[in-house]
Amino acid sequence: MKRAKKYPFLTLQRRRFRLGFENASSLDVPAERDFYRWAWAALKNEYRRADIGLVLLDEEEARAYNRDYRGKDYATNVLSFALNEGEDFAGSSDTLCGDLIICPQVVQKEAAEQGKTPEQHFAHLTMHGTLHLMGYDHIEDDEAEAMEALEIRLMQQAGFPNPYRQDEY
C-alpha cells in the first residue's frame, strides 16, 4: 500500500495542528473549519505542531479579559495569549501553544466601518492573532511592516484582498 493512502493529508494535518474551538458568542460567525483553515495558513510554514484554543466571546466577557490582562477597559477584536510568552518553554521549539479570544461584535462593527465583509475580517484577525502567538508584533515600525506584509500575503493566498487597503473592498 502506498504511504499516501496509509497516511492521508488531513490525518497528518490534524496530528500537527489541533484547534480547540468554542463559540460562546450570541452572534452568527463563520464555521469552525474556517477558523481552523485561517489559523493553519498562518502557522503551517513555521511550526511543526500547534495546539491553539480559540474562544469567541461577547463584548462583556471580552472586555473583562482585555481589562484584566492588558489594563484596557474595552472589548477589542482579538486577544492572543502565547503559552511560552516571556518564559522558557519546556516543550519542543517547533510546537506552538496558546489561546485566542475573538469578540464577534467588535469584528462585525469594524468590518462594517472598514467596508469589509465579516468573513474577511474574521479571517484577517484569526491570522493576525495566530501571528502574535508566533511572536510577531507591531509595536516598532519595522516589526509592524514585516507583520503587515506577512498578513497581506497570507490573506491573498487565502483568496482575500489586502486587509490594510480599504479601497480594495
Side-chain angles (χ1 to χ4, degrees):
M1 177 183 288
K2 289 184 177 180
R3 187 175 190 128
K5 288 184 180 179
K6 189 174 178 183
Y7 299 104
F9 172 76
L10 291 176
T11 301
L12 289 174
Q13 181 184 25
R14 296 222 189 312
R15 287 182 192 158
R16 287 183 59 195
F17 176 43
R18 189 183 87 68
L19 180 72
F21 180 82
E22 180 182 348
N23 182 8
S25 169
S26 59
L27 295 182
D28 189 32
V29 298
E32 177 180 352
R33 70 180 174 275
D34 294 322
F35 288 99
Y36 184 97
R37 184 170 38 95
W38 299 328
W40 173 252
L43 67 87
K44 69 182 178 184
N45 291 325
E46 292 189 40
Y47 281 90
R48 215 53 208 121
R49 299 193 184 286
D51 191 348
I52 296 174
L54 172 62
V55 181
L56 304 176
L57 296 177
D58 284 330
E59 280 184 278
E60 187 176 319
E61 283 187 273
R63 178 181 182 174
Y65 275 96
N66 200 28
R67 182 188 61 240
D68 294 348
Y69 290 96
R70 294 183 61 226
K72 300 182 185 230
D73 195 17
Y74 58 87
T76 190
N77 49 26
V78 62
L79 292 167
S80 301
F81 300 94
L83 176 65
N84 59 339
E85 189 172 47
E87 59 189 57
D88 289 331
F89 182 46
S92 172
S93 63
D94 68 350
T95 301
L96 175 68
C97 296
D99 295 312
L100 297 174
I101 295 174
I102 295 178
C103 180
Q105 286 89 349
V106 173
V107 173
Q108 291 186 356
K109 178 183 172 198
E110 289 177 349
E113 291 170 354
Q114 297 170 17
K116 302 174 183 177
T117 68
E119 181 186 32
Q120 289 168 334
H121 206 39
F122 275 111
H124 178 219
L125 293 172
T126 302
M127 292 178 191
H128 181 89
T130 302
L131 291 175
H132 275 305
L133 294 178
M134 295 165 59
Y136 288 89
D137 211 335
H138 45 80
I139 295 172
E140 301 295 327
D141 287 343
D142 60 331
E143 293 174 339
E145 288 177 21
M147 187 172 178
E148 286 179 14
L150 181 54
E151 290 174 87
I152 291 166
R153 184 171 51 86
L154 291 170
M155 286 291 287
Q156 289 174 338
Q157 287 173 350
F160 296 109
N162 177 344
Y164 294 103
R165 304 253 341 237
Q166 293 183 17
D167 57 296
E168 289 187 20
Y169 291 92

